[in-house]
Amino acid sequence: MIDLTRRGRDALGVDWGKRLTTFLDHLDANVVVAPPTLVITESPFVAKTAREIVSNRLRARRRGATAAERSPARLIGVLTEDGATLGGSESQSTSPLHPLNVSVYLKDVSLMALRDMTLGAVRELQEYGSDGLQASSHVRRAYGFVRRAVGLPCGLRAAQMVLRRDRANEEGEIPETLASQYFEAKVLADLSDAAARVPAFAQQILAYGELIRRFLADLQTSTPISRTLDKLLEELTRKSTKSIIVLPSAEAVEFLEARLAADRNGQDLSLRMEDKVQIVSRHLLGDALRQAAQRSSGVKRVALVQPRLEEVRKVLLMPDTDATFLLLDDAAGIGLVAADLAGITGVPGLERVAERVRSLLDQISDRQDQLPDPSLEIDVPLPISRTLDFTRDEGQRYDGPIVELTVSSSFKVRYRPNSDALLLTDDDLQPFRRCHASEVEVGSRMLVLSPPLMERLRKTFARRGNTSAVLRLYHDEVASARERIPGRSRTEKARHVLNMLLRADGARFTDSDLDNVRRWLAVDPTADDGVPNAPRDLTRYRAFAKAIGIQPALIDTLWRDGIHISRRFNISEGLGFHRRYVHFLMDPDTTLAKAAGQEEELAALWRDVLDDVSLVVGSRIIEPKKGGIKS
C-alpha cells in the first residue's frame, strides 16, 4: 500500500514519482511474485501519474502474459476529505439518482493560460535545489492569490477596505494570514525574492510578476464573479426565490455582507432581510442543505462560487430535488473538478451517481467548447523555456545566424556558428575537445550547460577573489545592526526601519515596502550562496544602510565590491560566461591543482559536468531576416 496523500508526498519530496518508480524497480528485482499494489491519494492528478507509472511497470513485468494479466492499473475507489460525503446514510441506497438541474458559468478564461505558465515555471524552478523549491512556492502562491481574487464577490480594493476596518489591530496591522491572502504587496515581494534566489531565471520571474500585476489591476473594482453575482442577486430580488449562495471562505461572506449593507437603498435588500437568500461559506454547505430539506418550502436555487470537489460531491449525492444548481467558476478551476469526476463514473458502488456525473461533465464540456482562445498576448518569455541561448554577449542582442542543437535531454542549445561546443572524447587526458558549433554532427556526445549546472559553475567561477568576503562583511554588518534595532519581532524591527526610511525619503519608499525591509534584514551571515539580501538600486540601498547604522565609510565599498558585483555575475548570461567555464572543462587537472581548499568541491562539480553530457539528436541553422528569424 503506497501513501501518496499530501502528507505522504511531502515526506517523499517533489520527485515522488521517481521514488515510486525506484521502489517498483526494487520489487521487480527482489520479489519473485510481486504483491498487489494499492495507491491512495486525494489528488486526481497524482492518481493519473501514479496510475501511469504502475501500469508501465505491470506491462514491462508481464510481457508474455495474457491480455487480462497485462491490464493497466484500475481506479477502484474514491478517497474524500469528508468521510460522510460518500459513506453516510444517504448513500446506502443503490437506486440511481435522477439527474439534477445544473448550470455551469465559466468566467475568466485567461486563468487557464496563467495556470499553464505557472505549472511550467514551477517544474523548471524545482530543479534548482532548496532555492528553486522556495522560488517555485512563491510562484504557486502568486497564482493562488490571483485565483482567489477572481472569486471575490466584490473588487479587491473593497475587500481590503473591509479587512482594514474590521480586522486590523490597534496599530492598524492586518493579521499576517489575511494580509497574504488579500493584499498583493506580500505576493509581489515574494516574486522579487524568487528572482533573487534563482538568478538564471530572474528575468522570467520578474516578467511573471508583471503579468500578475496586470491581472490584479483588472480586479480592483470588480471581478468576473462579482459581476455575475450582481445579475443573480438582481434576479433573486425580482423573483423572490429562496436561494443559497455558497462562497469560498468566511471572509468572502463577510465581504459580500458588507457590500450588500453599503448598497442598501430602500427595498433593495428586503428579500435577504426576510431570509429569502442565505449566504454561507462552503464549509457550511452541508448544514445549509440539510436545513433547507427540512423546511416546508425548500430552496429553489443554490449558487456555488469556485466550488471544490467536496462541495460538488455533496450536490451530486443530494436526494432527488427540483432545485437548480449554479456553478460559478473560472475555466481553470472547473477543469480540476472535471478531471476528478471523469474518473469515478465507473467505480464500483458509485453507479447511482454516474448519470448525474455524466450530465455535469457534459455541461462543463459544452461551456468549455464555447470559450474563446485562452492564450495571453504577452511579450515576455513565459513559460520558462528549455532553450539555452549562448549567442548573447553580456546581455547584448545578437542578430547573426544561429546554430540550434537539439539534445536527448530535451534542451535546445543555441550558439553562434563559430562558438565552442564541447564534445566528449574517449581520451582520459583530454576528456573534451573543442569544436565549432556549426561543425557538431548529429550523434555526437555534447556537454549541455543545463540551468542547475550553470548555477553551480557560476557560483564557483564567476566572482572576483574578494567578492564573497565583502558580501559576508555586508551581511555581518546587517546582522549586527539588526540586534540593535528596537522591536521584539522581525516585523517590528522592519516597521521601525521603514518608518525611518519614510521620514527620510517618502518619495522612494511606501508602506508596501515592509516586506522588502523585512527581507533585507533577514540575512544569514553563515550562508555562502553569493546572493545579497539588499535593495536593488544604489539610492535605496544607501538610504537603508544609513537607516540601520552601517558606517558611512563602508556603505559605498560594500555596494561596489560586494553587492553590485555579485549581482552582475549572477545575472550575466550567454557568450561571456560560456567562455569562462570552457577552460575548466578543457583542463580540469590544472584547475584542481590551483584550487587550494576547493579540491573536493571541484571534484564533485566535475562529476556533475560528466552527468550533463547528452546525445545530439538534431541540428539546424536559423538565418536572420528582417523582422525576425528564418529557419
Side-chain angles (χ1 to χ4, degrees):
M1 184 165 66
I2 300 172
D3 176 13
L4 290 182
T5 59
R6 183 178 300 278
R7 181 179 296 178
R9 298 195 303 276
D10 288 345
L12 290 171
V14 294
D15 59 344
W16 62 264
K18 293 180 181 178
R19 301 188 71 174
L20 174 58
T21 302
T22 300
F23 173 69
L24 295 174
D25 288 341
H26 179 80
L27 282 182
D28 284 349
N30 295 280
V31 180
V32 176
V33 180
T37 302
L38 176 64
V39 179
I40 299 178
T41 180
E42 83 294 349
S43 165
F45 297 97
V46 172
K48 181 176 183 294
T49 301
R51 194 172 173 185
E52 291 174 353
I53 292 172
V54 174
S55 296
N56 290 338
R57 305 312 303 168
L58 288 172
R59 282 191 287 268
R61 183 178 178 82
R62 294 173 178 175
R63 289 193 180 99
T66 65
E69 291 172 328
R70 292 197 305 271
S71 62
R74 294 177 294 113
L75 185 68
I76 63 170
V78 175
L79 175 67
T80 70
E81 297 175 2
D82 178 4
T85 301
L86 295 178
S89 59
E90 72 278 6
S91 65
Q92 298 303 310
S93 171
T94 58
S95 58
L97 293 167
H98 293 111
L100 292 174
N101 185 3
V102 180
S103 296
V104 178
Y105 293 85
L106 300 187
K107 304 296 177 182
D108 210 337
V109 65
S110 58
L111 270 186
M112 294 174 67
L114 183 64
R115 177 177 176 274
D116 290 341
M117 293 177 184
T118 303
L119 292 176
V122 166
R123 281 192 294 268
E124 296 289 349
L125 289 169
Q126 286 176 346
E127 297 182 10
Y128 284 83
S130 59
D131 281 340
L133 289 175
Q134 185 63 46
S136 70
S137 177
H138 291 334
V139 171
R140 270 198 307 269
R141 280 199 290 271
Y143 170 75
F145 185 95
V146 172
R147 185 160 186 264
R148 187 181 303 110
V150 166
L152 287 175
C154 61
L156 185 59
R157 190 177 299 125
Q160 293 169 349
M161 289 176 60
V162 171
L163 292 175
R164 289 192 182 99
R165 184 192 68 193
D166 298 341
R167 300 296 187 91
N169 60 22
E170 295 179 355
E171 298 178 355
E173 295 179 337
I174 307 295
E176 189 167 348
T177 301
L178 292 176
S180 64
Q181 290 179 342
Y182 297 105
F183 290 81
E184 58 267 40
K186 169 65 173 169
V187 167
L188 297 174
D190 283 346
L191 288 177
S192 297
D193 176 68
R197 287 176 178 275
V198 188
F201 285 110
Q203 178 187 358
Q204 289 91 336
I205 294 173
L206 293 176
Y208 180 87
E210 186 57 34
L211 188 60
I212 295 293
R213 290 178 191 272
R214 284 165 48 186
F215 264 95
L216 296 178
D218 293 335
L219 302 175
Q220 294 298 314
T221 57
S222 66
T223 71
I225 295 297
S226 72
R227 292 188 287 272
T228 303
L229 283 176
D230 284 346
K231 297 177 183 178
L232 176 62
L233 287 169
E234 181 181 349
E235 180 184 351
L236 296 178
T237 302
R238 189 172 62 251
K239 294 183 177 180
S240 186
T241 304
K242 285 191 175 182
S243 306
I244 300 174
I245 297 177
V246 185
L247 297 177
S249 66
E251 290 79 31
V253 173
E254 185 179 348
F255 300 150
L256 184 55
E257 294 275 5
R259 182 182 172 200
L260 293 175
D263 289 343
R264 185 177 293 133
N265 291 314
Q267 300 178 355
D268 283 359
L269 290 182
S270 59
L271 293 178
R272 210 187 69 73
M273 300 306 292
E274 295 172 7
D275 200 28
K276 297 292 185 180
V277 179
Q278 184 180 6
I279 302 172
V280 300
S281 68
R282 60 186 174 196
H283 305 290
L284 300 176
L285 172 61
D287 292 338
L289 292 176
R290 281 189 289 272
Q291 292 171 7
Q294 295 169 0
R295 296 175 190 155
S296 56
S297 56
V299 170
K300 297 301 182 183
R301 181 168 297 184
V302 179
L304 295 94
V305 176
Q306 285 189 332
R308 297 177 309 170
L309 185 62
E310 289 299 310
E311 287 81 63
V312 175
R313 284 176 174 162
K314 283 186 172 72
V315 169
L316 291 173
L317 284 165
M318 279 191 65
D320 290 336
T321 175
D322 60 354
T324 298
F325 293 86
L326 309 177
L327 304 187
L328 282 65
D329 205 347
D330 58 86
I334 203 67
L336 302 179
V337 173
D340 187 274
L341 291 177
I344 71 173
T345 53
V347 174
L350 297 182
E351 295 91 345
R352 65 192 304 260
V353 298
E355 186 59 36
R356 285 186 172 182
V357 171
R358 281 191 285 269
S359 176
L360 177 56
L361 290 175
D362 288 343
Q363 274 266 349
I364 294 173
S365 178
D366 289 344
R367 294 295 178 269
Q368 289 174 330
D369 289 343
Q370 297 168 11
L371 292 173
D373 184 356
S375 61
L376 292 173
E377 294 183 2
I378 57 174
D379 54 2
V380 295
L382 292 171
I384 294 173
S385 172
R386 292 186 70 82
T387 298
L388 305 176
D389 189 351
F390 296 115
T391 64
R392 294 173 296 149
D393 190 357
E394 297 299 332
Q396 297 299 314
R397 180 180 175 84
Y398 169 69
D399 295 319
I402 296 171
V403 177
E404 183 181 85
L405 302 173
T406 304
V407 296
S408 56
S409 54
S410 77
F411 283 105
K412 292 182 179 180
V413 191
R414 290 182 173 180
Y415 296 105
R416 298 185 186 187
N418 61 349
S419 293
D420 287 330
L422 296 183
L423 304 183
L424 187 66
T425 72
D426 296 323
D427 188 346
D428 291 338
L429 297 178
Q430 189 177 12
F432 290 100
R433 69 177 179 88
R434 296 181 192 226
C435 174
H436 283 169
S438 59
E439 300 172 358
V440 174
E441 298 178 351
V442 172
S444 302
R445 294 176 296 169
M446 186 181 77
L447 175 64
V448 178
L449 190 62
S450 66
L453 180 59
M454 183 190 301
E455 199 68 10
R456 290 205 59 191
L457 286 165
R458 180 181 293 106
K459 287 181 178 181
T460 303
F461 297 111
R463 291 203 184 93
R464 293 177 179 172
N466 67 335
T467 302
S468 295
V470 176
L471 194 57
R472 279 195 298 272
L473 176 59
Y474 168 71
H475 288 163
D476 285 339
E477 289 288 324
V478 176
S480 298
R482 186 174 60 206
E483 299 303 316
R484 301 190 299 267
I485 296 171
R488 291 173 296 178
S489 67
R490 186 172 297 175
T491 300
E492 290 180 358
K493 292 175 180 288
R495 171 60 67 183
H496 178 81
V497 174
L498 180 58
N499 288 336
M500 296 174 65
L501 294 171
L502 291 172
R503 288 194 295 269
D505 193 351
R508 292 186 179 273
F509 295 92
T510 67
D511 286 330
S512 63
D513 280 310
L514 179 62
D515 288 308
N516 287 329
V517 176
R518 184 163 50 187
R519 179 167 54 84
W520 300 336
L521 291 174
V523 298
D524 180 3
T526 63
D528 190 23
D529 55 8
V531 179
N533 275 7
R536 302 297 300 182
D537 67 77
L538 179 58
T539 303
R540 280 163 62 94
Y541 159 76
R542 282 172 173 162
F544 171 73
K546 181 179 179 181
I548 65 175
I550 293 180
Q551 300 175 34
L554 276 178
I555 291 178
D556 282 3
T557 301
L558 294 175
W559 173 269
R560 182 183 62 250
D561 296 335
I563 298 167
H564 178 64
I565 200 68
S566 294
R567 284 185 176 146
R568 192 180 118 200
F569 280 129
N570 275 334
I571 295 172
S572 176
E573 294 286 345
L575 185 64
F577 178 66
H578 183 251
R579 288 169 178 162
R580 285 194 288 274
Y581 85 89
V582 163
H583 179 73
F584 165 66
L585 302 173
M586 291 298 299
D587 191 3
D589 292 333
T590 300
T591 306
L592 286 168
K594 295 179 179 179
Q598 283 188 294
E599 295 89 342
E600 291 186 7
E601 177 188 0
L602 290 177
L605 179 59
W606 179 250
R607 290 191 292 269
D608 289 343
V609 165
L610 295 179
D611 288 340
D612 232 35
V613 173
S614 291
L615 189 69
V616 178
V617 297
S619 174
R620 67 168 181 159
I621 302 292
I622 301 176
E623 297 288 353
K625 73 168 186 176
K626 187 176 181 179
I629 58 175
K630 178 182 179 182
S631 174

